[in-house]
Amino acid sequence: MIAMTTDADNKVLPLAFAVVDKESRPSWGWFLECLRISIGHVICIISNRQKGIKCAIAEWPRGDDGRLQVFHRYCLRHVASNFNTHFNDPTLKALALKGGYATEEAKFEFLMQTIKDVEINALKRIDPNDDKLERYMPYTYLISEDLDKWNQ
């Protein structure tokens, strides 16, 4: 496990690391707790969508107003990599990445609509009783996680 930070010149620097037996909720919880105690607070954690990290962040201490005191975002490279593992389609992966990098809502919507159209067309050609329908649903896969959490 490793925690990185950026300096004022946008250079990436290592902040902390730990070697653990496996990535899990307890090991991520311990690592993040050590990090929180060491630096006082963490503003934003950018990670993959590993379950242990998500669980550890969900257990993060809350402020007096009940809200989490940490932001969690998903690394766009990991989103695209996981997407490609499921769908193994370089064109769809490129569309997903372009969507993630889009700075204009209209462009993002256009790219996502293109992926949605691929899904609609694929679903028209397959048996609705197929027990692995999700392999034909790239749009559904992408929007299954909060799009606001995608981070470059």
Side-chain angles (χ1 to χ4, degrees), residues 102-116:
T103 56
E104 298 170 12
E105 187 175 346
K107 182 162 184 151
F108 174 80
E109 293 295 334
F110 172 79
L111 293 164
M112 292 301 286
Q113 184 61 48
T114 304
I115 295 169
K116 188 176 188 177

PDB file of all heavy atoms in Angstrom, residues 102-116:
ATOM      1  N   ALA A 102     -13.345  14.196 -20.498  1.00  0.00           N
ATOM      2  CA  ALA A 102     -14.142  15.288 -21.088  1.00  0.00           C
ATOM      3  C   ALA A 102     -14.349  16.405 -20.077  1.00  0.00           C
ATOM      4  O   ALA A 102     -14.680  16.163 -18.921  1.00  0.00           O
ATOM      5  CB  ALA A 102     -15.483  14.755 -21.575  1.00  0.00           C
ATOM      6  N   THR A 103     -14.160  17.621 -20.534  1.00  0.00           N
ATOM      7  CA  THR A 103     -14.344  18.780 -19.659  1.00  0.00           C
ATOM      8  C   THR A 103     -15.650  19.509 -19.953  1.00  0.00           C
ATOM      9  O   THR A 103     -16.022  20.409 -19.211  1.00  0.00           O
ATOM     10  CB  THR A 103     -13.167  19.770 -19.812  1.00  0.00           C
ATOM     11  OG1 THR A 103     -13.047  20.139 -21.188  1.00  0.00           O
ATOM     12  CG2 THR A 103     -11.867  19.146 -19.320  1.00  0.00           C
ATOM     13  N   GLU A 104     -16.303  19.106 -21.027  1.00  0.00           N
ATOM     14  CA  GLU A 104     -17.588  19.699 -21.370  1.00  0.00           C
ATOM     15  C   GLU A 104     -18.670  18.637 -21.231  1.00  0.00           C
ATOM     16  O   GLU A 104     -18.513  17.515 -21.697  1.00  0.00           O
ATOM     17  CB  GLU A 104     -17.568  20.226 -22.809  1.00  0.00           C
ATOM     18  CG  GLU A 104     -16.546  21.311 -23.037  1.00  0.00           C
ATOM     19  CD  GLU A 104     -16.386  21.640 -24.513  1.00  0.00           C
ATOM     20  OE1 GLU A 104     -17.222  21.184 -25.321  1.00  0.00           O
ATOM     21  OE2 GLU A 104     -15.417  22.334 -24.849  1.00  0.00           O
ATOM     22  N   GLU A 105     -19.749  19.001 -20.585  1.00  0.00           N
ATOM     23  CA  GLU A 105     -20.835  18.055 -20.350  1.00  0.00           C
ATOM     24  C   GLU A 105     -21.375  17.478 -21.656  1.00  0.00           C
ATOM     25  O   GLU A 105     -21.656  16.283 -21.736  1.00  0.00           O
ATOM     26  CB  GLU A 105     -21.964  18.712 -19.557  1.00  0.00           C
ATOM     27  CG  GLU A 105     -23.037  17.735 -19.145  1.00  0.00           C
ATOM     28  CD  GLU A 105     -24.089  18.357 -18.252  1.00  0.00           C
ATOM     29  OE1 GLU A 105     -23.880  19.458 -17.733  1.00  0.00           O
ATOM     30  OE2 GLU A 105     -25.131  17.715 -18.082  1.00  0.00           O
ATOM     31  N   ALA A 106     -21.506  18.299 -22.685  1.00  0.00           N
ATOM     32  CA  ALA A 106     -22.049  17.830 -23.972  1.00  0.00           C
ATOM     33  C   ALA A 106     -21.160  16.743 -24.578  1.00  0.00           C
ATOM     34  O   ALA A 106     -21.662  15.745 -25.108  1.00  0.00           O
ATOM     35  CB  ALA A 106     -22.193  18.995 -24.938  1.00  0.00           C
ATOM     36  N   LYS A 107     -19.850  16.925 -24.480  1.00  0.00           N
ATOM     37  CA  LYS A 107     -18.929  15.920 -25.022  1.00  0.00           C
ATOM     38  C   LYS A 107     -19.036  14.623 -24.223  1.00  0.00           C
ATOM     39  O   LYS A 107     -19.062  13.528 -24.788  1.00  0.00           O
ATOM     40  CB  LYS A 107     -17.501  16.440 -25.021  1.00  0.00           C
ATOM     41  CG  LYS A 107     -16.534  15.439 -25.613  1.00  0.00           C
ATOM     42  CD  LYS A 107     -15.240  16.057 -26.024  1.00  0.00           C
ATOM     43  CE  LYS A 107     -14.413  14.980 -26.697  1.00  0.00           C
ATOM     44  NZ  LYS A 107     -13.511  15.472 -27.667  1.00  0.00           N
ATOM     45  N   PHE A 108     -19.079  14.752 -22.901  1.00  0.00           N
ATOM     46  CA  PHE A 108     -19.231  13.574 -22.046  1.00  0.00           C
ATOM     47  C   PHE A 108     -20.519  12.828 -22.404  1.00  0.00           C
ATOM     48  O   PHE A 108     -20.515  11.616 -22.585  1.00  0.00           O
ATOM     49  CB  PHE A 108     -19.237  13.980 -20.568  1.00  0.00           C
ATOM     50  CG  PHE A 108     -19.540  12.839 -19.642  1.00  0.00           C
ATOM     51  CD1 PHE A 108     -18.555  11.927 -19.302  1.00  0.00           C
ATOM     52  CD2 PHE A 108     -20.820  12.672 -19.121  1.00  0.00           C
ATOM     53  CE1 PHE A 108     -18.837  10.865 -18.464  1.00  0.00           C
ATOM     54  CE2 PHE A 108     -21.102  11.617 -18.279  1.00  0.00           C
ATOM     55  CZ  PHE A 108     -20.105  10.710 -17.947  1.00  0.00           C
ATOM     56  N   GLU A 109     -21.611  13.554 -22.504  1.00  0.00           N
ATOM     57  CA  GLU A 109     -22.908  12.941 -22.824  1.00  0.00           C
ATOM     58  C   GLU A 109     -22.869  12.251 -24.187  1.00  0.00           C
ATOM     59  O   GLU A 109     -23.420  11.161 -24.346  1.00  0.00           O
ATOM     60  CB  GLU A 109     -24.026  13.983 -22.790  1.00  0.00           C
ATOM     61  CG  GLU A 109     -24.307  14.548 -21.406  1.00  0.00           C
ATOM     62  CD  GLU A 109     -24.842  13.524 -20.427  1.00  0.00           C
ATOM     63  OE1 GLU A 109     -25.451  12.524 -20.858  1.00  0.00           O
ATOM     64  OE2 GLU A 109     -24.657  13.717 -19.213  1.00  0.00           O
ATOM     65  N   PHE A 110     -22.225  12.876 -25.174  1.00  0.00           N
ATOM     66  CA  PHE A 110     -22.103  12.279 -26.510  1.00  0.00           C
ATOM     67  C   PHE A 110     -21.347  10.953 -26.440  1.00  0.00           C
ATOM     68  O   PHE A 110     -21.774   9.947 -27.019  1.00  0.00           O
ATOM     69  CB  PHE A 110     -21.403  13.250 -27.472  1.00  0.00           C
ATOM     70  CG  PHE A 110     -21.088  12.636 -28.797  1.00  0.00           C
ATOM     71  CD1 PHE A 110     -22.077  12.488 -29.764  1.00  0.00           C
ATOM     72  CD2 PHE A 110     -19.804  12.191 -29.081  1.00  0.00           C
ATOM     73  CE1 PHE A 110     -21.790  11.904 -30.991  1.00  0.00           C
ATOM     74  CE2 PHE A 110     -19.502  11.610 -30.299  1.00  0.00           C
ATOM     75  CZ  PHE A 110     -20.500  11.463 -31.261  1.00  0.00           C
ATOM     76  N   LEU A 111     -20.214  10.941 -25.727  1.00  0.00           N
ATOM     77  CA  LEU A 111     -19.408   9.725 -25.622  1.00  0.00           C
ATOM     78  C   LEU A 111     -20.152   8.630 -24.871  1.00  0.00           C
ATOM     79  O   LEU A 111     -20.140   7.454 -25.276  1.00  0.00           O
ATOM     80  CB  LEU A 111     -18.067  10.043 -24.950  1.00  0.00           C
ATOM     81  CG  LEU A 111     -17.148  10.944 -25.777  1.00  0.00           C
ATOM     82  CD1 LEU A 111     -16.052  11.535 -24.912  1.00  0.00           C
ATOM     83  CD2 LEU A 111     -16.565  10.171 -26.949  1.00  0.00           C
ATOM     84  N   MET A 112     -20.824   8.998 -23.795  1.00  0.00           N
ATOM     85  CA  MET A 112     -21.587   8.000 -23.039  1.00  0.00           C
ATOM     86  C   MET A 112     -22.767   7.471 -23.858  1.00  0.00           C
ATOM     87  O   MET A 112     -23.099   6.295 -23.795  1.00  0.00           O
ATOM     88  CB  MET A 112     -22.058   8.591 -21.706  1.00  0.00           C
ATOM     89  CG  MET A 112     -20.927   8.871 -20.731  1.00  0.00           C
ATOM     90  SD  MET A 112     -19.947   7.417 -20.292  1.00  0.00           S
ATOM     91  CE  MET A 112     -21.096   6.580 -19.213  1.00  0.00           C
ATOM     92  N   GLN A 113     -23.386   8.331 -24.644  1.00  0.00           N
ATOM     93  CA  GLN A 113     -24.482   7.893 -25.502  1.00  0.00           C
ATOM     94  C   GLN A 113     -23.979   6.899 -26.555  1.00  0.00           C
ATOM     95  O   GLN A 113     -24.668   5.932 -26.871  1.00  0.00           O
ATOM     96  CB  GLN A 113     -25.170   9.081 -26.189  1.00  0.00           C
ATOM     97  CG  GLN A 113     -26.388   8.687 -27.009  1.00  0.00           C
ATOM     98  CD  GLN A 113     -27.499   8.040 -26.180  1.00  0.00           C
ATOM     99  OE1 GLN A 113     -27.878   8.551 -25.130  1.00  0.00           O
ATOM    100  NE2 GLN A 113     -28.003   6.907 -26.640  1.00  0.00           N
ATOM    101  N   THR A 114     -22.783   7.112 -27.058  1.00  0.00           N
ATOM    102  CA  THR A 114     -22.192   6.184 -28.022  1.00  0.00           C
ATOM    103  C   THR A 114     -22.026   4.806 -27.383  1.00  0.00           C
ATOM    104  O   THR A 114     -22.348   3.780 -27.997  1.00  0.00           O
ATOM    105  CB  THR A 114     -20.832   6.726 -28.526  1.00  0.00           C
ATOM    106  OG1 THR A 114     -21.027   8.022 -29.077  1.00  0.00           O
ATOM    107  CG2 THR A 114     -20.221   5.803 -29.561  1.00  0.00           C
ATOM    108  N   ILE A 115     -21.535   4.775 -26.144  1.00  0.00           N
ATOM    109  CA  ILE A 115     -21.370   3.508 -25.430  1.00  0.00           C
ATOM    110  C   ILE A 115     -22.741   2.883 -25.147  1.00  0.00           C
ATOM    111  O   ILE A 115     -22.929   1.673 -25.278  1.00  0.00           O
ATOM    112  CB  ILE A 115     -20.564   3.717 -24.124  1.00  0.00           C
ATOM    113  CG1 ILE A 115     -19.144   4.170 -24.463  1.00  0.00           C
ATOM    114  CG2 ILE A 115     -20.544   2.444 -23.279  1.00  0.00           C
ATOM    115  CD1 ILE A 115     -18.335   4.661 -23.282  1.00  0.00           C
ATOM    116  N   LYS A 116     -23.701   3.712 -24.798  1.00  0.00           N
ATOM    117  CA  LYS A 116     -25.067   3.222 -24.552  1.00  0.00           C
ATOM    118  C   LYS A 116     -25.654   2.613 -25.830  1.00  0.00           C
ATOM    119  O   LYS A 116     -26.313   1.563 -25.773  1.00  0.00           O
ATOM    120  CB  LYS A 116     -25.945   4.373 -24.061  1.00  0.00           C
ATOM    121  CG  LYS A 116     -27.316   3.944 -23.589  1.00  0.00           C
ATOM    122  CD  LYS A 116     -28.054   5.161 -23.021  1.00  0.00           C
ATOM    123  CE  LYS A 116     -29.352   4.769 -22.364  1.00  0.00           C
ATOM    124  NZ  LYS A 116     -30.019   5.939 -21.761  1.00  0.00           N
TER     125      LYS A 116
END
